[in-house]
């Protein structure tokens, strides 16, 4: 965990903020891991982008989670997991 870039408020299942993790696993494997595991915890997949910098967006109840996966320059990947309350719909 990158403590300098991580900011978590709250606890247990109601936390919000950003968790930054560096892993020795390659970005493609990390991408597949989150795609497989997030639904097991009740997160519904909303959008995905699989590219040099990949992005997955999920929703569970009134919360949204964004998983950003960037290959590390040396090896492995950097994961930015951001969780926040779902915003209000924009009025027309």
């Amino acid at each position: 965990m990158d403590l300098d870039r991580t900011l978590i408020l709250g606890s247990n299942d109601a936390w919000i903020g950003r968790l930054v993790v560096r892993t020795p696993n390659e970005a493609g494997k990390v991408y597949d891991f989150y795609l497989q595991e997030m639904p097991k915890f009740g997160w519904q997949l909303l959008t995905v982008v699989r590219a040099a910098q990949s992005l997955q967006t999920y929703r569970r109840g009134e919360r949204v989670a964004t998983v950003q996966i960037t290959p590390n320059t040396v090896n492995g990947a950097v994961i930015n997991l951001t969780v926040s309350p779902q915003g209000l719909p924009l009025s027309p």
Side-chain angles (χ1 to χ4, degrees):
M1 183 168 28
D2 186 334
L3 295 177
D4 292 331
R5 296 179 56 208
T6 295
L7 174 63
I8 297 175
L9 304 170
S11 62
N12 298 328
D13 216 24
W15 71 273
I16 62 169
R18 179 182 65 217
L19 174 65
V20 180
V21 178
R22 297 180 184 277
T23 177
N25 298 311
E26 69 177 43
K29 288 183 179 181
V30 173
Y31 180 95
D32 292 339
F33 173 81
Y34 278 93
L35 202 59
Q36 180 180 358
E37 296 298 319
M38 290 291 282
K40 292 180 183 177
F41 291 90
W43 290 97
Q44 175 190 9
L45 182 63
L46 298 177
T47 63
V48 296
V49 175
R50 190 169 194 155
Q53 185 172 358
S54 296
L55 188 67
Q56 300 174 3
T57 305
Y58 298 87
R59 180 179 56 214
R60 183 174 76 183
E62 297 299 317
R63 298 172 63 202
V64 175
T66 302
V67 181
Q68 180 182 6
I69 303 161
T70 307
N72 199 348
T73 53
V74 178
N75 66 355
V78 178
I79 306 156
N80 283 283
L81 175 61
T82 305
V83 178
S84 65
Q86 182 174 325
L88 297 175
L90 298 175
S91 59

